[in-house]
Amino acid sequence: MRSSTILGLATTAVITLGLTTASMAAETIKVGVLHSLSGTMAISETTLKDTVLMLVEEQNKKGGLLGKKLEAVVVDPASDWPLFAEKARELLEVHKVDVVFGNWTSVSRKSVLPVFEELNGLLFYPVQYEGEESSKNVFYTGAAPNQQAIPAVDYLMEEGVKRWVLAGTDYVYPRTTNKILESYLKTKGVAATDIMINYTPFGHSDWQTIVSDIKAFGAAGKKTAVVSTINGDANVPFYKELGNQGLKAQDIPVIAFSVGEEELSGMDTTALVGHLAAWNYFMSAEAEVNAAFIKIWHAFIKDDKRVTNDPMEAHYIGFNMWVKAVEKAGTTDVDSVRSAIYGVTYPNLTGGTAVMNTNHHLTKPVLIGEIQADGQFETVWQTTGGVIGDAWTDFLPESARLVADWTAPINCGNFNIDSGKCSGQNY
């Protein structure tokens, strides 16, 4: 009898503990953070993890959300693309997060996409990408090609560039972006012989031969520029080799889509002055909201020398739009939040207003900046207003007839306007 009583009490205690743990878990809203904290992409992604932690802390200072505190759940997919999928599943199935902010490379996003669609998770993706996608489970808060790559090429054409080096890391984003750019350049009358395309693996470090080839390509008597989709820590030796070979911006300018203030903070920028980057935000933006953001960031990170950058702004916008949508829906339920977020606006950090469109892309301004000696950018060109992100480019024949709209009657990520049907997978 005594043994049975003790066993019964122990069982009751275990059940009670389980209920208490579940009850405690229900008292928080869990925010997943899916960024590489090690490996080749840590140079870019670690700061984004810190950004989400700061946003969670700031929201909790305001009283949380729906009467509950937010709890960040951080995992490290370690720049390993299959591991991204495993960690995404862990966040959704084990930790039961309500939303995820994460990923940098498109190959990592492609890796997690089936997981989010299978489990009906919600991902806010903060980095420029190649487009050609619109999933009902992903909100793309970074730039589509028409919000970065195409305007960058247009700017360089206005500056007299006639020859083009499309240099990228060997994965889906650079290859697709360069496919779009090659097609676009040809529509502008650029000959195939005036386009040089080169790809290197992640973490590539020996740039001597490639930079020499770029230098030779630019010696043909036509103004030449490099359009760079090089990602991760390979940028450090690439820019160093440009300096080693005396390749200055006035000779062959480089315009980068994946190099911002964070990446430059670890480089000697003396020889890089005048090279360019195209983004939707620069830390140097003169706006009160930007000054306030930088002040909060420095206080959180406890380092006044830490920079801000474009993907940080994308997380800032995406996070606050998610908060507004949750408040509007009165729940963190994914389907309810998705419906509530369409048309939501939030101030961007350059003084304008971001809008979430029904194709899951933002309306954003486009800025082009020159690298300065202090590692900051001076804006040399920008759009007069916001540009709506286009999920499907107009410059590839297989995409030109597709539109994304996740509201009725289309409710589809790849609606073919000729056939009147969704084509292939529903994204």
Side-chain angles (χ1 to χ4, degrees):
M1 288 291 291
R2 186 176 181 183
S3 297
S4 298
T5 302
I6 292 171
L7 180 60
L9 289 171
T11 302
T12 301
V14 170
I15 293 172
T16 303
L17 178 61
L19 289 172
T20 302
T21 303
S23 176
M24 289 174 63
E27 292 304 310
T28 63
I29 293 174
K30 292 188 176 182
V31 177
V33 185
L34 185 64
H35 280 302
S36 295
L37 310 181
S38 55
T40 188
M41 292 308 302
I43 184 176
S44 298
E45 292 194 68
T46 301
T47 289
L48 297 189
K49 177 266 296 181
D50 292 332
T51 303
V52 180
L53 294 183
M54 178 189 72
L55 293 167
V56 166
E57 181 180 283
E58 289 300 303
Q59 188 62 35
N60 282 335
K61 288 178 181 177
K62 299 174 186 176
L65 186 58
L66 301 182
K68 298 179 180 181
K69 290 291 185 181
L70 300 185
E71 176 188 352
V73 181
V74 179
V75 294
D76 178 16
S79 307
D80 181 317
W81 318 135
L83 187 58
F84 264 90
E86 293 180 29
K87 291 298 183 179
R89 188 172 293 277
E90 177 187 328
L91 286 172
L92 294 172
E93 286 191 326
V94 178
H95 298 291
K96 307 292 184 183
V97 299
D98 296 279
V99 65
V100 176
F101 295 86
N103 296 76
W104 182 292
T105 65
S106 284
V107 67
S108 73
R109 190 193 69 257
K110 294 289 188 184
S111 176
V112 306
L113 185 57
V115 178
F116 278 90
E117 295 189 333
E118 174 196 341
L119 301 176
N120 197 30
L122 191 61
L123 173 66
F124 281 79
Y125 176 64
V127 184
Q128 85 293 336
Y129 84 121
E130 70 283 357
E132 308 306 284
E133 180 182 300
S134 177
S135 168
K136 70 176 182 178
N137 295 92
V138 181
F139 286 97
Y140 308 81
T141 55
N146 72 309
Q147 296 172 307
Q148 185 185 43
I150 298 297
V153 166
D154 285 342
Y155 172 80
L156 290 173
M157 282 185 171
E158 289 292 323
E159 294 294 304
V161 171
K162 303 294 185 183
R163 301 201 95 193
W164 304 85
V165 179
L166 309 182
T169 303
D170 193 3
Y171 74 104
V172 61
Y173 161 61
R175 283 192 173 274
T176 306
T177 299
N178 287 342
K179 183 180 178 182
I180 293 168
L181 288 179
E182 183 180 15
S183 174
Y184 181 68
L185 288 169
K186 287 178 179 178
T187 68
K188 294 293 185 178
V190 177
T193 52
D194 286 328
I195 303 173
M196 169 184 167
I197 303 175
N198 178 267
Y199 296 104
T200 47
F202 279 100
H204 188 72
S205 58
D206 185 6
W207 290 94
Q208 187 172 354
T209 300
I210 295 170
V211 172
S212 294
D213 290 344
I214 292 171
K215 198 171 183 178
F217 186 76
K222 297 179 181 178
K223 188 170 178 60
T224 303
V226 177
V227 178
S228 172
T229 48
I230 299 165
N231 261 265
D233 54 11
N235 277 296
V236 177
F238 169 64
Y239 278 97
K240 184 177 181 181
E241 187 59 33
L242 291 179
N244 290 344
Q245 297 199 27
L247 211 58
K248 297 181 180 180
Q250 56 265 40
D251 303 320
I252 300 180
V254 175
I255 191 161
F257 302 157
S258 296
V259 173
E261 293 86 346
E262 182 69 12
E263 289 75 20
L264 291 179
S265 66
M267 303 183 198
D268 178 3
T269 57
T270 306
L272 306 184
V273 172
H275 286 301
L276 305 161
W279 290 103
N280 310 114
Y281 161 83
F282 291 119
M283 184 178 181
S284 57
E286 295 181 359
E288 289 184 11
V289 64
N290 185 41
F293 177 77
I294 294 169
K295 184 177 180 180
I296 292 169
W297 169 242
H298 285 162
F300 174 82
I301 210 71
K302 296 179 174 59
D303 183 354
D304 288 347
K305 294 182 180 180
R306 285 289 295 274
V307 297
T308 59
N309 63 19
D310 180 282
M312 289 175 67
E313 187 214 28
H315 264 339
Y316 164 82
I317 294 170
F319 181 89
N320 284 294
M321 283 187 167
W322 171 75
V323 167
K324 289 184 73 171
V326 169
E327 291 174 337
K328 181 179 175 182
T331 176
T332 58
D333 172 72
V334 169
D335 293 330
S336 300
V337 170
R338 182 189 301 114
S339 297
I341 203 169
Y342 300 135
V344 165
T345 63
Y346 200 79
N348 62 36
L349 295 178
T350 56
T353 301
V355 184
M356 180 58 74
N357 299 294
T358 55
N359 66 357
H360 287 207
H361 292 68
L362 291 178
T363 298
K364 309 180 76 173
V366 185
L367 289 73
I368 294 174
E370 282 188 358
I371 297 174
Q372 304 299 295
D374 61 357
Q376 290 290 318
F377 290 89
E378 178 183 346
T379 300
V380 295
W381 180 89
Q382 66 184 81
T383 53
T384 54
V387 177
I388 298 173
D390 190 358
W392 301 95
T393 184
D394 294 334
F395 303 107
L396 295 178
E398 62 269 29
S399 301
R401 309 306 290 170
L402 299 180
V403 296
D405 188 339
W406 287 102
T407 57
I410 292 177
N411 198 30
C412 171
N414 53 7
F415 183 81
N416 189 303
I417 60 176
D418 292 330
S419 68
K421 297 179 181 179
C422 292
S423 54
Q425 291 177 294
N426 199 25
Y427 62 78

